[in-house]
Amino acid sequence: MSNSSPVEVHVSKRSASVESFKVMDVLKRANELQAEGHEILHCEVGQPETGAPAVVAQAAVDALLEPQVMGYTDAFGLGALRQKIADYYASKYSVTSELPISRIVITTGSSGGFLLAFTACFDAGDVVAIASSGYPCYRNILSALGCELANVKINDEFKLTAKELMEEINQRREQSLKPLKGLILSSPSNPTGAMLAPDELQELCDLCSEHGIQFLSDEIYHGISYGKPEATALQCAPDTALVINSFSKYYSMSGWRLGWLVIPEALVEPINALQQNMFINAPTISQTAALKCWDTDTIEELEGHVLKYKSSRQVILEAFATGELAAITKIAPADGGFYVYVDLGDEYVHSPTHGSVAMCKALLEEEHVAFTAGNDFEDPLTILGDRRFRISYAGGIQTATEAMKRFARFWPGWLERVKAAQREAAQ
């Protein structure tokens, strides 16, 4: 037996500096409680309660039963699937400019798409703008790649528009800071549900073009909206915008790890090389099944899901208009996606002991309802992460109804704890 000292495993500074994806931490604890026998209401993750559409799932089964090898595809994915995506943009958005399938990349989920896009577009030290309330993995992946972040404050409608971006550009110029190299933004937004109107998206694309800012448009919640028109960046900047989408949300295929990019011509070769080396190709079985995503039966099933999301959304919004919860009035518009984002305001918070982070922990432990605190989504240099929280209603009408019932039961007692903490601090 060797008497030598154990070798210390080196952990890179890059990985050690990356924050966890906190909603997954919430999910982990919720699953632990569930394993102990508690009935947990999962309103933390953006995962549809439904599985893949029936026609899609059957296509996967049929493919596995056929005498063929599920081997590698072209790095950019099956040509037939990329053509269906091109046809989708032509039919849904009336994208009239030519969209060759050479500009469409099938990715390993949108997460793989983010890594490819960020690596192809930005170098270490580049400054990339993100909304001050936004998807945490933008911040975490960009930071891991050595990029610097500019957190652009959203407006009172929970949007980042050309006005807010122009203010950031001017402020950086006045303070002799590095100029922006890129902007990544989702519409509908995670976590706020806010959507840019078509003219707002056009103005944002125009401003990015004017100032040499690479615009990355995250459109993974397209298809899940409630009356307001959806616009794609390909309508506004067809040659320069980079679009990210996914089969996880509208198509209800989160575990199939499948997404896509539409990229400018100049990025075709760089992203091809990156894809070949990082992923080789997206899962072949998932690509094969996804060919059925635009069949008539599939779309009918998916539109049924959207109607259920709309009903669940209404359950939550009505709960906040009723009883003691009606005192909470600052709620993001929830125009699309499947989230309601809530700001408790200063009145109902006593940080750090009785903010939204502590509230969500207590709600999970005491009422077995899993919400996600705002510290997963907010600029860490502000206090808003401990004032805000997100409710996912992707889990169905029954889950949303019971979760809001339990939250309404929990809220008066929690509010008493907050007031007690405020009184004690004032003494």
Side-chain angles (χ1 to χ4, degrees):
M1 229 177 140
S2 173
N3 293 321
S4 61
S5 301
V7 176
E8 182 178 348
V9 176
H10 174 72
V11 178
S12 71
K13 293 179 181 178
R14 176 190 296 111
S15 63
S17 68
V18 175
E19 292 286 336
S20 66
F21 190 7
K22 295 179 178 60
V23 67
M24 302 310 292
D25 295 336
V26 177
L27 177 62
K28 178 182 177 183
R29 178 55 184 156
N31 286 340
E32 289 172 352
L33 289 169
Q34 193 163 306
E36 294 172 7
H38 300 289
E39 180 197 21
I40 303 299
L41 297 173
H42 288 279
C43 298
E44 73 282 56
V45 290
Q47 176 169 295
E49 67 166 336
T50 52
V55 174
V56 173
Q58 187 60 50
V61 172
D62 293 343
L64 290 173
L65 293 175
E66 292 178 5
Q68 62 178 342
V69 175
M70 279 290 160
Y72 300 130
T73 70
D74 180 87
F76 274 20
L78 293 173
L81 181 56
R82 292 150 68 197
Q83 185 59 58
K84 284 186 176 290
I85 291 171
D87 295 342
Y88 158 80
Y89 282 104
S91 63
K92 178 169 181 174
Y93 302 102
S94 300
V95 173
T96 54
S97 59
E98 183 182 0
L99 180 57
I101 67 169
S102 61
R103 289 178 51 197
I104 298 173
V105 188
I106 308 302
T107 61
T108 307
S110 61
S111 300
F114 294 139
L115 187 57
L116 290 169
F118 295 163
T119 308
C121 291
F122 310 122
D123 291 311
D126 284 349
V127 182
V128 182
I130 59 174
S132 59
S133 299
Y135 182 54
C137 295
Y138 301 156
R139 179 180 291 110
N140 297 342
I141 297 172
L142 285 165
S143 296
L145 293 173
C147 294
E148 299 176 20
L149 299 173
N151 289 277
V152 182
K153 186 177 179 181
I154 57 175
N155 62 24
D156 290 340
E157 296 180 319
F158 290 83
K159 295 181 182 180
L160 192 168
T161 68
K163 179 178 182 291
E164 289 72 44
L165 184 62
M166 191 70 243
E167 289 172 356
E168 178 69 23
I169 292 169
N170 288 336
Q171 184 179 42
R172 301 188 75 81
R173 185 184 296 127
E174 291 165 3
Q175 297 178 4
S176 299
L177 298 173
K178 290 181 188 177
L180 299 175
K181 286 291 185 72
L183 167 68
I184 171 75
L185 187 68
S186 61
S187 176
S189 165
N190 175 13
T192 69
M195 288 176 61
L196 293 177
D199 61 329
E200 291 175 323
L201 183 59
Q202 184 67 64
E203 290 168 1
L204 196 62
C205 286
D206 291 345
L207 184 62
C208 286
S209 295
E210 179 183 347
H211 290 271
I213 297 170
Q214 177 62 57
F215 180 44
L216 288 74
S217 182
D218 179 352
E219 301 177 2
I220 73 170
Y221 291 97
H222 273 218
I224 308 174
S225 58
Y226 311 105
K228 293 192 175 182
E230 296 174 344
T232 175
L234 294 178
Q235 295 167 305
C236 306
D239 298 323
T240 57
L242 189 154
V243 170
I244 302 158
N245 211 317
S246 170
F247 290 89
S248 293
K249 307 302 181 181
Y250 175 75
Y251 300 97
S252 195
M253 296 174 65
S254 56
W256 297 64
R257 308 315 303 137
L258 202 64
W260 76 81
L261 301 176
V262 182
I263 60 178
E265 188 66 38
L267 292 177
V268 168
E269 287 307 315
I271 287 183
N272 185 48
L274 289 167
Q275 175 87 315
Q276 290 171 344
N277 284 280
M278 289 180 172
F279 303 102
I280 300 181
N281 63 265
T284 303
I285 185 62
S286 300
Q287 293 190 59
T288 303
L291 289 166
K292 295 291 186 179
C293 277
W294 294 275
D295 283 14
T296 300
D297 289 348
T298 302
I299 296 300
E300 287 179 359
E301 183 178 342
L302 295 174
E303 287 300 307
H305 297 343
V306 176
L307 291 176
K308 291 180 182 178
Y309 300 146
K310 185 176 181 180
S311 296
S312 298
R313 169 182 177 268
Q314 195 61 30
V315 164
I316 295 170
L317 295 178
E318 287 179 357
F320 278 113
T322 306
E324 294 191 54
L325 291 182
I328 304 171
T329 58
K330 192 166 185 180
I331 299 173
D335 295 326
F338 32 55
Y339 308 112
V340 172
Y341 198 51
V342 182
D343 190 328
L344 293 171
D346 293 330
E347 184 179 356
Y348 302 127
V349 166
H350 181 73
S351 290
T353 59
H354 290 78
S356 63
V357 174
M359 185 197 78
C360 289
K361 287 182 179 178
L363 181 65
L364 178 58
E365 297 296 331
E366 297 170 23
E367 293 286 351
H368 304 133
V369 176
F371 292 168
T372 305
N375 62 339
D376 211 12
F377 311 104
E378 295 292 333
D379 177 356
L381 298 180
T382 74
I383 63 170
L384 293 175
D386 205 26
R387 272 186 23 177
R388 295 175 173 175
F389 64 97
R390 188 189 77 175
I391 305 171
S392 168
Y393 50 87
I397 300 169
Q398 184 176 346
T399 296
T401 301
E402 180 62 23
M404 294 310 294
K405 179 182 176 182
R406 294 187 193 180
F407 183 49
R409 182 173 65 200
F410 167 87
W411 175 249
W414 175 256
L415 192 54
E416 284 302 316
R417 288 182 246 180
V418 172
K419 290 179 179 178
Q422 291 171 338
R423 287 193 298 268
E424 183 177 347
Q427 292 176 355

